[in-house]
Amino acid sequence: MTSFSSKSILVTPWNDKQMDFYRQEKPAVCLDKALLLDATVPKQDKLVHLEQVMWTQFEHPDQAVSYNLETQDTWLRYHLRMVQLNESIPFDLDVISKRVGIEGKSRGGDLVLALTMARKVDEEVCKHLSHICFKLWRIGSIRQASPDESMLAHDIRAYARMTGLSHLKHAVALVPF
């Protein structure tokens, strides 16, 4: 087992547990439409469920399910993007973009490059970038990376070097391309 450095101010025991989590096999979780559509269920519980479904989707991307859910709830429609293989990475990039106030970057590499140039660092950004690394790692296990995916991984590596964040360096090291 590899030991991860915790010298960076943004590397916490939670981050090291997250790396262990990435490497563990995830339990299979199907989308529970009743839970998501129930107005009495708190959004945080819905978000946790969506994340569990997302991990399932990426644990076995060759067996991923395309979920469609008709709803007028804009919060739910927005967050459902995370469980769709083709929308999950753009979802993370959108969350990062809104978090740091860098709007209008159409591609992931452009956003990460803008983050690098602006030297914008915070734990939420790093969390979503590490989620992207996990997703790229799992996608890379079943198919050749697209040029945009390769560029995104390259830019995340540059960002990790610039920030010196050990956790992010280890997360991007999982990406095979």
Side-chain angles (χ1 to χ4, degrees), residues 29-166:
V29 177
C30 294
L31 194 72
D32 184 346
K33 293 178 182 180
L35 177 124
L36 294 174
L37 295 174
D38 187 343
T40 63
V41 175
K43 286 184 179 179
Q44 184 59 34
D45 292 348
K46 292 178 182 184
L47 190 58
V48 167
H49 176 67
L50 287 170
E51 287 177 352
Q52 291 171 336
V53 174
M54 176 189 70
W55 296 125
T56 298
Q57 294 279 73
F58 280 94
E59 183 68 26
H60 303 286
D62 53 333
Q63 301 169 12
V65 176
S66 180
Y67 292 108
N68 291 322
L69 187 62
E70 295 297 321
T71 179
Q72 298 298 322
D73 184 346
T74 55
W75 180 91
L76 183 55
R77 278 199 322 260
Y78 176 76
H79 286 86
L80 273 171
R81 293 174 53 207
M82 81 170 70
V83 302
Q84 304 298 341
L85 285 184
N86 62 340
E87 283 292 314
S88 194
I89 290 174
F91 169 80
D92 284 314
L93 293 169
D94 192 36
V95 169
I96 292 168
S97 176
K98 288 178 179 172
R99 170 106 178 145
V100 299
I102 299 175
E103 301 289 332
K105 300 296 181 189
S106 59
R107 294 185 357 194
D110 295 341
L111 174 61
V112 177
L113 181 60
L115 286 170
T116 304
M117 300 303 285
R119 298 189 176 277
K120 296 212 178 232
V121 180
D122 83 14
E123 195 162 0
E124 192 67 19
V125 168
C126 293
K127 175 184 137 185
H128 283 280
L129 287 175
S130 66
H131 285 185
I132 291 169
C133 292
F134 170 81
K135 294 168 186 180
L136 292 173
W137 171 47
R138 300 309 298 168
I139 288 170
S141 70
I142 62 161
R143 66 169 170 80
Q144 182 76 24
S146 72
D148 284 344
E149 291 166 342
S150 294
M151 178 64 81
L152 180 57
H154 176 273
D155 289 347
I156 293 173
R157 282 186 187 93
Y159 179 78
R161 280 192 305 272
M162 184 275 301
T163 60
L165 297 172
S166 300

